[in-house]
Amino acid sequence: MSKHEHAPETQATKFLKAQKIAFSSHLYAYEEHGGTKVSARELNVDEHAVVKTLIFEDENAKPLVVLMHGDCKVSTKELARQIGCKKVEPCKPEVANRHTGYLVGGTSPFGTKKAMPIYLEKSILDLPLIYINGGRRGYLVGVHPHDILRALNPKPVEAALKG
């Protein structure tokens, strides 16, 4: 992908602009199933600062968003305990697409089709800058974690498992 390619206009970037949140745009060559390892390598940033947007559902099939460090996994048992659910599990990709309006691999917490509760791994707030999906595969935006607090009002949780 050329450095001269313009950043795409997505639901996520429209949301960020409407909320007056400063962000930087980072395009990279998307690799199927490459995940945050690829985006971190392509952007030359620590994978811990690349934040995944994961769509889970509880025992009643109610969707929820989990923002997690790229180099960590979500402890579903711990997450369920902290948010008062019996169980949570990842949504199937087609279900996640329906809830968010984004393709898996391009899911952003900003500008989702449905309003869903958002949970944020607490230690993300300790980072000076995070890279999170901008609403398209191969496109991350750099934002200050405290802007996520202001714009999305997520509930902090501690459910990270070192990946």
Side-chain angles (χ1 to χ4, degrees):
M1 203 168 273
S2 81
K3 291 276 186 242
H4 305 294
E5 194 172 331
H6 289 297
E9 179 83 1
T10 65
Q11 284 307 112
T13 58
K14 288 177 186 161
F15 175 91
L16 291 167
K17 288 172 185 166
Q19 296 281 322
K20 299 191 176 9
I21 292 174
F23 65 94
S24 53
S25 292
H26 307 273
L27 290 160
Y28 66 95
Y30 176 78
E31 287 177 29
E32 197 73 39
H33 307 299
T36 54
K37 255 189 193 31
V38 169
S39 50
R41 180 192 73 214
E42 292 294 309
L43 300 181
N44 199 23
V45 296
D46 184 355
E47 193 181 3
H48 197 66
V50 178
V51 174
K52 302 184 273 202
T53 304
L54 305 167
I55 310 302
F56 282 77
E57 57 188 18
D58 66 13
E59 67 274 9
N60 301 314
K62 287 206 169 42
L64 54 113
V65 178
V66 180
L67 303 179
M68 181 55 73
H69 295 286
D71 59 353
C72 296
K73 289 180 168 51
V74 175
S75 164
T76 52
K77 277 194 175 86
E78 192 51 39
L79 179 65
R81 194 184 67 70
Q82 289 185 34
I83 67 175
C85 291
K86 284 190 182 77
K87 69 171 192 144
V88 294
E89 59 187 16
C91 283
K92 289 184 171 63
E94 61 278 9
V95 175
N97 295 350
R98 264 202 317 274
H99 290 316
T100 63
Y102 294 116
L103 285 175
V104 168
T107 305
S108 176
F110 310 115
T112 55
K113 202 154 78 177
K114 273 188 189 164
M116 296 172 271
I118 299 174
Y119 299 93
L120 167 93
E121 181 59 33
K122 197 171 140 219
S123 54
I124 290 171
L125 297 172
D126 300 335
L127 298 170
L129 184 69
I130 60 166
Y131 299 89
I132 194 162
N133 203 287
R136 197 183 101 182
R137 291 174 173 177
Y139 177 51
L140 298 185
V141 291
V143 293
H144 190 279
H146 289 273
D147 284 334
I148 288 183
L149 271 185
R150 183 171 61 83
L152 299 176
N153 199 17
K155 293 172 188 69
V157 292
E158 293 182 61
L161 294 170
K162 271 293 181 198

